[in-house]
């Protein structure tokens, strides 16, 4: 792969950047350069926001289109993305190390699913309703598009998480400036080409690859009406502070340190549950915000469950992200691998016991690989149990009884995901209701497009997915009728 671009997608055109600064993209599996793109600067963000503002304010523009017409354009975009899905999949996997088999299910398929889902909502959701008043007369309640959206997307699921933002925003009639992470920019060009082909008007979608400074400029830009951000809690706090001062709506989907609660009646036959357990605990090399990386096990079965997770992690195939049989690929960057390795060293130093993994694969002399790692004898107060590692590292924590398990699950700054594993679905549901989190699964976990997704506590503010996300890109207006 050797992909190089010289332009930015702004205002429906491929325009020259304002400086010669560039982003060089390096393969996570080989550590070799695989492409480069222009690095947007503040002036490029200004141009992108101006294009989005013109497109939104156009009296005949996207915001004024009939919802059915917007839906048709979104469905054309979905069709184009579906045809080009393999290109996106290959680019994402090469960049961030996501196993290509995972990328096909998520990066290739999820944006298409979301576009079609929100196109359907755009057609079927009324934008006006008349309510009878208590003082006589009626009130017309309108849902109007919010305006220009700044969408800041991380590197771990670049196209899926971009779609979490642009699909409901487009359905609502908003325009967007999307800032991809510098680690994953090559896939954004495939997306931009699809937008240009779809017939979505110029300026409705604009893309400015760049780092934190570019993101900060977008967040504070006076012509942006809403920010939607996915990323770290630390960055989310800074963005929330800026948006608070500006009284600007913001959606923050941040970090997690979710609990996977294994109840004492759970049957964990790996032949039956391995795939679901993998998705809930180690998906995308552990670089997934909702993963249940704190595994809470009943003390009476602790040794059994430690052995089970040790066997589970040890059986996973580590390899090049572009190999169809790979289950665990490399970390996205060298810095991310160093971060994971620091946490592994900290876990050992705090007295936790590595049952498998803990180092770099002996057969990999290139790529930012870390072995799937399982820690036993972990206390819930240990650093590895409280801080988000974002790598293939699981901490197994014993608990005394069900109440203790819930207490431990809730003893966290975060609250994004989680799972409960049990042979009794009703019991599992009862436990799930007691966990302080925005989402949780019983014997399974994967975000569902029709249901709200997001966190509580340090895991964020607001929700994506479901009809609730569409509402987040709309402004309510009441018209009192005499």
């Amino acid at each position: 792969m050797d992909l190089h671009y010289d332009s930015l997608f702004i205002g429906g055109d491929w325009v020259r950047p304002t400086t010669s600064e560039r982003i060089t993209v390096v393969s996570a599996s080989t550590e070799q350069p695989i492409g480069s793109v222009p690095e947007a600067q503040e002036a490029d963000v200004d141009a992108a926001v101006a294009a989005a503002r013109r497109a939104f304010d156009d009296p005949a523009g996207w915001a004024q289109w009939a919802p059915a017409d917007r839906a048709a354009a979104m469905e054309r975009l979905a069709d184009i993305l579906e045809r080009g899905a393999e290109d996106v999949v290959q680019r994402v996997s090469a960049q961030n190390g996501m196993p290509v088999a995972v990328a096909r299910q998520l990066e290739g398929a999820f944006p298409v699913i979301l576009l079609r889902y929100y196109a359907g909502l755009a057609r079927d959701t009324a934008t006006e309703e008349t309510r009878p008043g208590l003082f006589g007369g009626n009130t017309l309640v309108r849902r109007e598009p919010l305006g220009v959206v700044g969408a800041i997307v991380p590197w771990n699921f670049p196209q899926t998480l971009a779609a979490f933002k642009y699909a409901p925003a487009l359905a609502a009639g908003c325009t967007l400036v999307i800032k991809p992470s510098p680690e994953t920019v090559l896939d954004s060009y495939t997306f931009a080409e699809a937008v240009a082909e779809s017939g979505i008007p110029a300026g409705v979608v604009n893309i400015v690859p760049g780092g934190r400074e570019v993101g900060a400029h977008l967040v504070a830009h006076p012509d942006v009406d809403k920010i939607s951000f996915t990323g770290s809690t630390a960055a989310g706090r800074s963005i929330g502070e800026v948006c608070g001062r500006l009284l600007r709506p913001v959606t923050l989907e941040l970090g997690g340190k979710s609990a996977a609660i294994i109840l004492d009646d759970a049957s964990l036959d790996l032949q039956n549950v391995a795939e679901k357990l993998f998705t809930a605990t180690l998906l995308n090399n552990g670089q997934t915000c909702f993963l249940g990386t704190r595994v809470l096990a009943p003390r009476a079965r602790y040794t059994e469950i430690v052995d089970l997770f040790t066997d589970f992690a040890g059986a996973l195939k580590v390899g090049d992200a572009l190999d169809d049989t790979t289950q665990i690929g490399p970390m996205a960057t060298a810095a991310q691998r160093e971060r994971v390795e620091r946490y592994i060293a900290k876990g050992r130093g705090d007295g936790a016991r590595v049952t498998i993994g803990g180092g770099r694969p002996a057969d990999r002399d290139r790529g930012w690989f870390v072995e799937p790692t399982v820690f036993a004898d972990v206390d819930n107060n240990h650093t590895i149990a409280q801080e988000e590692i974002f790598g293939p590292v699981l901490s197994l924590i014993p608990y005394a009884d069900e109440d203790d398990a819930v207490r431990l699950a809730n003893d966290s700054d975060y609250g994004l995901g989680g799972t409960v594993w049990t042979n009794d679905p009703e019991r599992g549901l009862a436990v799930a209701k007691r966990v302080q989190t925005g989402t949780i699964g019983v014997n399974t976990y994967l975000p569902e497009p029709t249901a709200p997704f997001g966190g509580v506590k340090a895991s964020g503010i607001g929700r994506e997915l479901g009809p609730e996300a569409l509402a987040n890109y709309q402004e309510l207006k009441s018209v009192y009728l005499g």
Side-chain angles (χ1 to χ4, degrees):
M1 189 175 293
D2 188 25
L3 301 168
H4 300 278
Y5 295 90
D6 296 318
S7 303
L8 299 171
F9 187 68
I10 295 175
D13 291 324
W14 296 100
V15 302
R16 302 291 296 182
T18 55
T19 75
S20 60
E21 297 296 316
R22 296 188 66 79
I23 297 169
T24 297
V25 183
V26 177
S27 164
S29 293
T30 68
E31 302 182 41
Q32 296 301 306
I34 55 174
S36 66
V37 306
E39 182 175 8
Q41 305 297 310
E42 291 185 1
D44 301 306
V45 174
D46 292 341
V49 172
R53 173 58 60 193
R54 287 193 300 272
F56 184 78
D57 290 343
D58 183 349
W62 184 253
Q64 305 305 319
W65 281 26
D69 293 336
R70 287 201 295 267
M74 292 171 64
E75 287 166 344
R76 288 194 298 272
L77 176 57
D79 292 343
I80 296 165
L81 289 175
E82 188 171 43
R83 292 196 299 271
E86 186 61 23
D87 183 37
V88 168
V89 165
Q90 294 289 324
R91 292 184 185 210
V92 170
S93 292
Q95 290 172 107
N96 70 3
M98 181 187 298
V100 71
V102 173
R104 288 195 183 99
Q105 296 176 38
L106 296 174
E107 293 292 277
F110 222 80
V112 174
I113 291 168
L114 289 181
L115 279 166
R116 290 173 178 159
Y117 169 66
Y118 282 104
L121 282 187
R123 282 196 179 91
D124 299 337
T125 304
T127 57
E128 293 185 351
E129 64 171 301
T130 301
R131 301 178 186 174
L134 297 180
F135 302 130
N138 295 309
T139 301
L140 178 69
V141 179
R142 288 177 48 80
R143 293 184 178 273
E144 300 180 344
L146 191 55
V148 175
V149 175
I152 301 175
V153 183
W155 47 256
N156 59 330
F157 292 93
Q159 285 305 305
T160 296
L161 294 177
F164 274 35
K165 305 174 191 316
Y166 68 68
L170 290 174
C174 296
T175 60
L176 298 107
V177 177
I178 301 173
K179 190 204 81 67
S181 170
E183 287 79 15
T184 46
V185 290
L186 299 177
D187 51 290
S188 70
Y189 278 78
T190 301
F191 174 66
E193 290 162 358
V195 171
E197 186 182 342
S198 71
I200 291 174
V204 172
V205 176
N206 309 270
I207 301 176
V208 285
R212 293 180 181 178
E213 296 79 8
V214 167
H217 188 65
L218 179 61
V219 167
H221 200 287
D223 272 339
V224 169
D225 299 302
K226 175 184 169 69
I227 293 293
S228 182
F229 169 80
T230 300
S232 72
T233 295
R237 291 186 194 280
S238 298
I239 290 169
E241 289 173 3
V242 173
C243 291
R245 289 196 301 272
L246 296 171
L247 300 180
R248 176 167 297 166
V250 61
T251 299
L252 301 172
E253 196 272 278
L254 308 177
K257 192 68 182 179
S258 303
I261 303 173
I262 300 174
L263 296 182
D264 54 17
D265 69 341
S267 175
L268 296 178
D269 180 352
L270 288 179
Q271 287 189 326
N272 297 324
V273 303
E275 184 175 349
K276 289 183 177 180
L277 202 62
F278 177 80
T279 300
T281 60
L282 287 168
L283 181 71
N284 193 22
N285 317 329
Q287 298 176 138
T288 306
C289 52
F290 60 66
L291 293 179
T293 54
R294 287 187 300 144
V295 180
L296 307 185
R299 196 175 297 280
R301 296 181 60 188
Y302 187 71
T303 300
E304 169 202 343
I305 291 170
V306 168
D307 290 344
L308 180 142
F309 272 89
T310 300
D311 292 343
F312 169 61
L316 297 172
K317 180 180 177 182
V318 178
D320 190 302
L322 295 177
D323 183 336
D324 285 340
T325 64
T326 290
Q327 294 168 291
I328 298 289
M331 301 296 92
T333 65
Q336 184 61 24
R337 179 171 66 177
E338 291 171 4
R339 170 189 170 91
V340 174
E341 290 176 332
R342 285 196 300 271
Y343 275 110
I344 291 173
K346 177 64 174 170
R348 284 185 163 122
D350 286 344
R353 173 170 56 93
V354 173
T355 68
I356 195 163
R360 300 180 182 182
D363 62 343
R364 294 279 154 187
D365 59 356
R366 284 185 176 270
W368 298 305
F369 291 92
V370 175
E371 294 173 317
T373 301
V374 174
F375 275 101
D377 306 331
V378 180
D379 186 282
N380 198 55
N381 293 318
H382 284 170
T383 298
I384 60 170
Q386 286 294 318
E387 296 184 12
E388 185 175 40
I389 298 174
F390 229 55
V393 181
L394 301 179
S395 298
L396 272 62
I397 303 166
Y399 68 82
D401 56 25
E402 191 174 293
D403 288 341
D404 190 36
V406 172
R407 179 189 66 80
L408 289 169
N410 292 337
D411 183 16
S412 172
D413 291 337
Y414 297 102
L416 181 59
T419 47
V420 181
W421 301 86
T422 175
N423 281 354
D424 183 346
E426 290 187 6
R427 182 187 179 198
L429 179 58
V431 171
K433 289 178 178 179
R434 299 174 62 192
V435 179
Q436 297 166 358
T437 186
T439 66
I440 191 166
V442 178
N443 296 326
T444 191
Y445 189 97
L446 191 66
E448 164 56 50
T450 64
F453 174 81
V456 299
K457 299 189 280 189
S459 289
I461 296 172
R463 294 294 182 266
E464 297 184 301
L465 302 182
E468 291 79 5
L470 178 61
N472 285 341
Y473 292 95
Q474 295 172 320
E475 194 78 83
L476 293 172
K477 177 187 287 185
S478 295
V479 183
Y480 307 119
L481 305 172

